[in-house]
Amino acid sequence: MFGKMINRFYYGKSGKGDFTKEDLPQTRWQLFWEMLRVRFSALVRLNLMYVVVWLPTIFVLLNSALVWYSGLVELSTLEMQVASGEAAAAALEEAYAAFQGMTPTLIMQTLVLLIPCIAITGPFTAGVAYVVRNWARDEHAFIWSDFRDAVKQNWKQGLLTSAITSVMPVVFYVCFQFYGQMTSQSMLYLVPQVLCVIVVCVWMCGLMYMYPQMVTYKLNFRGLVRNSFIMAVGRLPMTVGLKLLSLVPLLLAALVAFFTPYMQYAMMALVLYYLLIGLTLSRFIGASYANAVFDRYINPNIEGATVNQGLYVETDDDDETPPQDE
């Protein structure tokens, strides 16, 4: 019985007829849900492999969150002691000042530690981008061999992309804090502050198209960045919406942690989500949309490039009447 279950898992159920052209999805929405259903277990396996690269990042973030949370617990405990008369109000004010001074330092330290952690992920993200791109457009891809080959072919551009991404949070935080303090002297400093926010946001949105382009087209890094920025700005509402969608699990965990006494369970659920499927599911959603954007703006301009791969496209042959038997 167990052997039959394994065979069915890998090779499918016997006795089913072959798919015909008419069985193909007719819209991008149908294609996405069909491929997600078919590839869900494979996305889990790919995620378990990909998450190894992100373990240093997860460790740094969890450690910083625990340090900040422990400081918050100490403040809450001191507040209760002051309310009961066991501690002086001056001690609470000192603790508040220390906590407020610790927070910027902890944020800066965390962002600096994240630089090497994020920088090493680029080549492996390129490998994942190749596999999920194929799956999103109903193409076959081996989890390990195709992942490995894509890493070998794109590791330079992937490493450069992740290196830039890793310093973006530090640059954003430093510039935002610096120009924010300078606005007290002149509101003109609000202009570079806003520009800093725009640059970082456009870069993060452009990543949705950068890695899929990297594994699909032969482009130098300048062309890769330029095309990604153009598509991110040109499709800004949808791009921002998908980026925000990827933050929904994090937002839900934060709401549960702040407004309920179940912070530990919220953090455990969040970590479990990203360990099992969170990373590759986000990549799969982005690849599905990126494929549609490429088919609209890039592939029609490339001779011989396949457009609407995985979708049912009516051809002239479909209108021909089949011959009748005499």
Side-chain angles (χ1 to χ4, degrees), residues 145-321:
S145 59
D146 287 333
F147 169 84
R148 179 192 59 200
D149 293 342
V151 170
K152 290 181 179 179
Q153 295 172 7
N154 302 280
W155 71 269
K156 292 182 179 179
Q157 289 187 340
L159 188 61
L160 183 56
T161 301
S162 60
I164 297 175
T165 304
S166 67
V167 300
M168 280 290 176
V170 177
V171 173
F172 171 77
Y173 182 73
V174 171
C175 292
F176 191 84
Q177 290 289 101
F178 174 77
Y179 291 118
Q181 295 173 359
M182 296 299 291
T183 52
S184 60
Q185 302 178 11
S186 174
M187 293 302 295
L188 290 176
Y189 287 101
L190 189 63
V191 176
Q193 187 182 36
V194 173
L195 287 176
C196 174
V197 174
I198 292 175
V199 169
V200 173
C201 290
V202 171
W203 175 266
M204 300 307 294
C205 289
L207 290 176
M208 182 184 297
Y209 308 100
M210 209 168 295
Y211 284 104
Q213 276 190 104
M214 189 185 302
V215 299
T216 304
Y217 308 104
K218 293 183 178 180
L219 294 169
N220 56 34
F221 190 73
R222 181 181 298 179
L224 189 69
V225 174
R226 182 185 66 249
N227 289 352
S228 299
F229 279 10
I230 292 174
M231 285 184 283
V233 174
R235 309 294 296 182
L236 189 61
M238 192 65 179
T239 304
V240 173
L242 290 177
K243 281 293 182 180
L244 294 177
L245 180 64
S246 66
L247 298 177
V248 167
L250 184 62
L251 178 61
L252 291 177
L255 291 176
V256 172
F258 278 107
F259 297 105
T260 69
Y262 305 111
M263 178 180 179
Q264 296 87 344
Y265 298 107
M267 293 299 102
M268 289 174 58
L270 184 66
V271 171
L272 186 63
Y273 168 75
Y274 282 109
L275 286 177
L276 290 179
I277 197 170
L279 299 176
T280 51
L281 179 60
S282 177
R283 293 287 171 187
F284 180 79
I285 294 172
S288 299
Y289 184 69
N291 287 341
V293 175
F294 296 164
D295 279 345
R296 182 171 182 178
Y297 295 107
I298 299 179
N299 292 338
N301 301 317
I302 301 176
E303 184 178 358
T306 303
V307 180
N308 295 327
Q309 189 163 348
L311 292 173
Y312 173 77
V313 180
E314 187 175 352
T315 61
D316 295 337
D317 294 338
D318 298 331
D319 298 330
E320 295 180 0
T321 303

Side-chain angles (χ1 to χ4, degrees), residues 59-72 98-114 170 173:
F59 174 79
V60 170
L61 291 175
L62 284 179
N63 182 69
S64 299
L66 289 175
V67 171
W68 185 83
Y69 180 68
S70 63
L72 197 62
F99 183 77
Q100 291 175 353
M102 178 200 72
T103 300
T105 304
L106 180 63
I107 292 175
M108 189 64 189
Q109 180 183 1
T110 302
L111 295 179
V112 171
L113 290 175
L114 285 176
V170 177
Y173 182 73

Side-chain angles (χ1 to χ4, degrees), residues 42-62:
L43 286 172
V44 174
R45 297 196 297 271
L46 181 63
N47 195 94
L48 292 174
M49 183 174 66
Y50 181 45
V51 76
V52 175
V53 185
W54 287 95
L55 287 179
T57 300
I58 295 174
F59 174 79
V60 170
L61 291 175
L62 284 179

